[in-house]
């Protein structure tokens, strides 16, 4: 049985009807192939009973795939008025879809949408990382976040220590969440094709989340450590305590940031707070 009261028109017809040519300034690249969209929705795991949030639905391809799951409700947050009109037409065919028109960077999701929540989104390239950082600050509010980024950004999120991709966003993401790279998506899958490939990452917040003060301390620590990643930690962390801080955490001051595991960064962060940092 269809989840819609009538069959929605093909996505390419939606794009034509609502003049939804992708806007580069909004980082728009649309996915239109139903099979791929279904796999993305499936990669989000069991959504039964969850209130799912989608960012930048565009013509509504992923929205349709999410509505085909057992999600309790889907809320689409869209900035582009053309896409709002398109997704509103889809909402007229189901009572499980709500649209919020606005900037996703400004929407307070935990206030606007009741728990339990999950985010599933093909993120606009130009705001993907700022959105992730914001959501990591409130990770306890979500069951999971299944997010599509440019391949390079996705690789940084999931990177292991001692690799060139490992950095601030790797540490913050993996400290707060279990991170799994789900699938690679070639540029050719999008309309229009971007210049780079993409990848889908699933983040599941850890059961115990740190205090906001600890998160902010970790951000200061990793900003300093990776801001001068070629330097030894005794130099890059000089402003935060340098060798004395590293000695308090039992970490060799001659090491560099990319060699530290997430647990070691946490030890450093706690030593920094204990010293009044």
């Amino acid at each position: 049985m269809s989840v819609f009261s009538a069959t929605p028109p093909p996505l390419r017809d939606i794009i034509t009807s609502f003049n939804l040519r992708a806007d580069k300034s909004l980082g728009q690249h649309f996915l239109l192939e139903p099979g791929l969209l279904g796999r993305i929705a499936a990669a989000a795991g069991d959504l039964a009973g969850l209130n799912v949030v989608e960012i930048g639905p565009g013509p509504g391809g992923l929205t349709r795939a999410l509505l085909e799951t057992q999600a309790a409700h889907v809320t689409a947050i869209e900035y582009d008025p053309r896409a709002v009109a398109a997704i509103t037409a889809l909402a007229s065919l189901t009572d499980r879809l709500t649209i919020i028109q606005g900037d996703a960077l400004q929407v307070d999701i935990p206030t606007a949408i009741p728990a339990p929540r999950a985010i599933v989104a093909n993120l606009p390239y130009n705001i993907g990382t700022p959105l992730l950082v914001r959501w990591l600050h409130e990770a306890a509010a979500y069951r999971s976040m299944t997010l599509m980024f440019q391949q390079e950004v996705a690789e940084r999120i999931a990177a292991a220590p001692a690799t060139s991709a490992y950095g601030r966003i790797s540490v913050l993401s993996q400290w707060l969440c279990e991170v799994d790279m789900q699938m690679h998506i070639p540029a050719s899958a999008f309309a229009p094709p971007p210049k780079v490939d993409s990848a889908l990452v699933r983040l599941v917040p850890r059961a115990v989340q740190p205090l906001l003060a600890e998160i902010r301390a970790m951000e200061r620590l990793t900003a300093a450590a990776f801001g001068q990643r070629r330097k030894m930690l005794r130099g890059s962390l000089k402003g935060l305590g340098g060798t004395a801080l590293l000695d308090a955490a039992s970490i060799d001051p001659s090491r560099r940031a990319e060699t530290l595991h997430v647990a070691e960064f946490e030890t450093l962060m706690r030593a920094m707070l204990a010293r009044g940092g």
Side-chain angles (χ1 to χ4, degrees):
M1 182 177 178
S2 174
V3 298
F4 301 107
S5 59
T7 303
L11 292 170
R12 292 191 184 278
D13 290 356
I14 291 286
I15 290 172
T16 300
S17 298
F18 292 93
N19 191 28
L20 257 179
R21 291 187 300 273
D23 187 333
K24 289 184 179 180
S25 71
L26 298 177
Q28 290 176 332
H29 298 279
F30 302 138
L31 287 168
L32 305 178
E33 202 279 300
L36 175 58
L37 291 162
R39 291 197 297 276
I40 292 169
D46 184 5
L47 298 176
L50 301 186
N51 292 310
V52 175
V53 183
E54 183 189 6
I55 309 299
L62 180 57
T63 317
R64 297 183 191 191
L66 292 171
L67 289 166
E68 294 284 353
T69 72
Q70 296 300 307
H73 200 85
V74 175
T75 299
I77 301 173
E78 178 58 71
Y79 179 82
D80 186 346
R82 302 169 306 157
V84 169
I87 205 72
T88 298
L90 183 64
S92 69
L93 303 179
T94 175
D95 60 2
R96 292 171 56 234
L97 176 59
T98 299
I99 301 101
I100 295 176
Q101 182 170 7
D103 182 347
L105 285 168
Q106 304 300 323
V107 176
D108 183 349
I109 292 175
T111 297
I113 297 159
R117 310 171 198 87
I119 303 175
V120 185
N122 170 19
L123 296 176
Y125 283 171
N126 55 347
I127 60 171
T129 301
L131 281 173
L132 174 60
V133 171
R134 174 173 181 159
W135 296 332
L136 287 172
H137 278 225
E138 56 192 31
Y142 306 107
R143 292 285 184 86
S144 65
M145 297 177 278
T146 306
L147 309 171
M148 193 183 308
F149 299 92
Q150 297 176 58
Q151 178 82 24
E152 179 184 353
V153 175
E155 289 174 350
R156 290 205 300 267
I157 293 166
T163 64
S164 60
Y166 187 68
R168 293 179 63 191
I169 197 64
S170 318
V171 175
L172 192 61
S173 298
Q174 295 171 38
W175 178 46
L176 298 171
C177 302
E178 294 282 351
V179 178
D180 289 303
M181 187 82 77
Q182 293 290 308
M183 68 176 78
H184 166 262
I185 300 164
S188 59
F190 295 84
K195 294 181 180 179
V196 295
D197 289 351
S198 297
L200 189 70
V201 180
R202 186 167 187 256
L203 301 99
V204 178
R206 299 186 186 280
V208 178
Q209 290 288 311
L211 300 174
L212 182 57
E214 294 171 330
I215 296 174
R216 288 174 174 163
M218 182 68 88
E219 288 181 313
R220 293 198 306 275
L221 174 64
T222 54
F226 288 102
Q228 303 177 75
R229 62 188 300 148
R230 292 186 178 183
K231 284 191 173 184
M232 295 179 186
L233 287 168
R234 66 163 64 98
S236 61
L237 297 182
K238 187 174 182 179
L240 298 177
T243 299
L245 171 63
L246 291 154
D247 286 346
S250 300
I251 292 174
D252 183 348
S254 68
R255 290 175 65 183
R256 290 177 170 80
E258 66 268 21
T259 70
L260 266 63
H261 290 261
V262 173
E264 291 177 300
F265 272 109
E266 181 173 17
T267 299
L268 259 179
M269 178 272 293
R270 298 198 183 284
M272 186 176 78
L273 287 177
R275 291 167 51 87

